[in-house]
Amino acid sequence: MKKTSFNFVLSIVCSSILWGACTSDKTPEPDIEQGQSKYVLMTVTDRTQQNGGGYISAYNEFPSGSFSNVVGGKSLQGVRGMAGWRPYGNWIFKMFRSADASQGIEKIEVDRDGKVTSGQFISSKNPTEAAKYLGTGNFVIQHETAGFYWDAAEPLKIQKFNPLEMKNTGTLDLTAAVNQNIKDTDTGIKFKAIGQKFLAIKGGKLYANITYGTLSSTQAGFFDDYFPDVYIAVIDLATGQYEKTIKIADAGSIAYINDNAMYDFDTNGDLYIVTQGKHLQGLGGKSKIVRIQANQTDIDKDWVLKFSDFRAEDNGKFVGVFVKNGQMIVTLNTESLSGGQGGNINSKDIWKYYSIDVNKKPFVFNAIQGIPTGINPGAAVAVVEVDGKILLRGATATGTNAYFEFNAATNTATKSFEVNQGGTVTGFVKIKVK
């Protein structure tokens, strides 16, 4: 099934907001008689803060019109930690605890009446240590009783867990796999980890990025890469054994994990992976998307999509990817990126949607019409598929806060629904409840 698919430091990585406008001001009404399906929406009230609060609410019908995501007595309100939205099947998880933004894996519970509550939480083995770094709780699920995640308390191990019972079930020690790429002369490496930013499962293999950072602070592992290449370990799931390390050449930094889908599977099983480039402030340069074909475990050397294919100046980056039936959707900056206070990377309307035929070279970037150029979608669920509808997050600095439905045949998008209270949307999914 399609993946729907915490913002690192928002001024460095990306920012969030979401979706938006229609006609009425009516909040979707609960309809208990319609069965067990629920449409669940998460909004963030302060996207400028790493630990921003927000709301998660459930509805019995696909939202329409303009409505509030604050449903009295039923919404889960998080004072902090409304980030890291990660659905799997009929489950919803977050990488931060709603109550206090502690890093880990929180399970969200939705009952038949539409009440949303915080469920069980897997915390770091050492929360004090986890607070020093970013990424604890980055996870991937193999099936209902098996998953894998990263914990800063044991950075050279991948943790195993049972998603059904929400319990840690052991570790995979990959210290040797991480250290084999390092020479005695590599004294600039201050931080090492595996699975901190990228974990994916394909064809019975677990793929985990290997971090070699030059910092030992909270930002360790994020745009401080020691090597120009991105290293990814391949682990056999049947045996738990490390098999090999593959690399994405001259890519700088693999994308940071958060609410946004930084990798995606095409309908045929090909895996596409975003890298964000070599700029120390996360402003791009050498950003690219690569793929691992469905029946392969190595990077496809005959296929790479570079930002410089879009603009020769190479002054930007990819911030997400969605692929279906060979058609890719990306958002790209329309002008050179600038960071820091007053920079345009997160606060300006410079990000535009494009579709690309992955099988046609040279690549053609087709601007999607009908949706405004907006703010950075890099820490939000920018593209999601629900009920067969592909929805694009349309959020602008001037007030648009909508999801737009994409029409692949015409390469256009029309407004689907708007959130007018509760903050900007960062997650939307359909689930079934018991």
Side-chain angles (χ1 to χ4, degrees):
M1 61 181 291
K2 289 298 292 186
K3 171 178 71 53
T4 44
S5 309
F6 187 24
N7 336 341
F8 160 37
V9 173
L10 289 180
S11 62
I12 297 179
V13 189
C14 331
S15 69
S16 55
I17 279 195
L18 260 257
W19 327 338
C22 266
T23 53
S24 73
D25 292 320
K26 183 180 179 182
T27 297
E29 293 292 338
D31 185 356
I32 304 306
E33 295 181 356
Q34 283 201 356
Q36 300 177 353
S37 293
K38 301 289 181 185
Y39 296 89
V40 186
L41 182 68
M42 182 169 77
T43 52
V44 172
T45 54
D46 187 355
R47 67 182 179 84
T48 65
Q49 299 297 319
Q50 296 180 42
N51 300 329
Y55 297 85
I56 301 177
S57 303
Y59 306 97
N60 289 314
E61 296 179 355
F62 193 100
S64 63
S66 177
F67 62 94
S68 168
N69 196 44
V70 182
V71 182
K74 291 189 175 182
S75 297
L76 168 63
Q77 180 180 5
V79 178
R80 302 169 65 214
M82 282 301 190
W85 168 274
R86 311 290 289 279
Y88 173 83
N90 289 316
W91 291 336
I92 302 169
F93 303 88
K94 290 199 295 90
M95 288 175 55
F96 302 88
R97 188 160 54 194
S98 299
D100 58 7
S102 293
Q103 296 186 64
I105 306 174
E106 179 182 72
K107 200 172 190 178
I108 302 301
E109 302 291 346
V110 182
D111 68 18
R112 289 178 61 89
D113 291 332
K115 185 176 178 61
V116 185
T117 55
S118 294
Q120 293 171 289
F121 181 73
I122 298 177
S123 66
S124 169
K125 292 181 176 180
N126 185 338
T128 301
E129 190 68 17
K132 297 178 182 179
Y133 307 103
L134 296 168
T136 293
N138 177 36
F139 74 90
V140 65
I141 294 178
Q142 181 182 5
H143 52 71
E144 288 195 351
T145 57
F148 305 87
Y149 70 98
W150 185 75
D151 185 347
E154 297 179 335
L156 301 184
K157 297 179 180 179
I158 294 176
Q159 307 294 321
K160 300 192 292 184
F161 78 110
N162 182 320
L164 179 63
E165 299 180 352
M166 289 297 285
K167 295 180 179 178
N168 183 293
T169 57
T171 61
L172 299 175
D173 191 337
L174 293 153
T175 303
V178 174
N179 289 336
Q180 70 177 1
N181 299 312
I182 302 174
K183 301 176 182 178
D184 292 339
T185 55
D186 292 323
T187 56
I189 297 174
K190 306 299 182 184
F191 181 77
K192 299 177 293 183
I194 185 162
Q196 180 188 21
K197 296 174 287 185
F198 173 79
L199 288 169
I201 291 174
K202 184 179 77 70
K205 310 295 181 184
L206 174 65
Y207 295 79
N209 86 289
I210 303 177
T211 297
Y212 301 103
T214 60
L215 300 174
S216 57
S217 62
T218 303
Q219 296 181 14
F222 298 94
F223 302 108
D224 67 332
D225 301 272
Y226 180 80
F227 296 113
D229 304 329
V230 170
Y231 292 88
I232 298 175
V234 182
I235 301 108
D236 182 69
L237 287 172
T239 63
Q241 297 299 307
Y242 163 80
E243 289 191 347
K244 63 181 178 180
T245 296
I246 59 178
K247 68 179 181 179
I248 305 172
D250 197 28
S253 179
I254 198 165
Y256 178 65
I257 42 76
N258 44 35
D259 305 84
N260 189 21
M262 293 297 197
Y263 67 87
D264 201 21
F265 290 92
D266 198 353
T267 317
N268 66 355
D270 290 349
L271 170 60
Y272 291 83
I273 305 169
V274 175
T275 64
Q276 288 201 312
K278 304 177 73 172
H279 197 286
L280 294 180
Q281 289 184 307
L283 302 181
K286 300 287 188 178
S287 178
K288 62 188 69 173
I289 297 175
V290 300
R291 77 177 178 190
I292 302 174
Q293 291 180 291
N295 59 344
Q296 300 294 323
T297 57
D298 290 306
I299 303 298
D300 185 350
K301 293 182 172 57
D302 297 322
W303 195 98
V304 58
L305 178 65
K306 303 176 181 178
F307 186 91
S308 59
D309 294 328
F310 172 67
R311 189 162 55 240
E313 292 88 340
D314 202 12
N315 56 355
K317 63 179 181 178
F318 298 97
V319 293
V321 60
F322 177 94
V323 196
K324 184 176 182 179
N325 296 327
Q327 185 177 48
M328 177 180 290
I329 298 175
V330 297
T331 46
L332 299 169
N333 50 293
T334 57
E335 58 185 65
S336 297
L337 294 178
S338 59
Q341 191 172 20
N344 65 9
I345 186 169
N346 294 317
S347 60
K348 305 297 183 182
D349 292 332
I350 64 170
W351 296 89
K352 189 172 183 62
Y353 283 95
Y354 296 85
S355 66
I356 303 162
D357 185 340
V358 302
N359 298 310
K360 183 178 180 180
K361 293 182 179 181
F363 297 114
V364 177
F365 295 79
N366 301 300
I368 297 175
Q369 303 300 316
I371 184 170
T373 302
I375 57 175
N376 196 338
V381 184
V383 187
V384 61
E385 184 173 8
V386 177
D387 283 350
K389 301 175 181 180
I390 297 174
L391 302 172
L392 312 181
R393 163 196 177 265
T396 69
T398 54
T400 301
N401 187 34
Y403 249 154
F404 289 71
E405 183 176 348
F406 175 63
N407 185 321
T410 61
N411 202 49
T412 60
T414 55
K415 195 176 291 184
S416 179
F417 65 84
E418 172 187 23
V419 174
N420 57 39
Q421 185 182 21
T424 56
V425 182
T426 52
F428 181 56
V429 68
K430 181 181 181 180
I431 63 172
K432 287 189 177 181
V433 299
K434 295 180 180 180

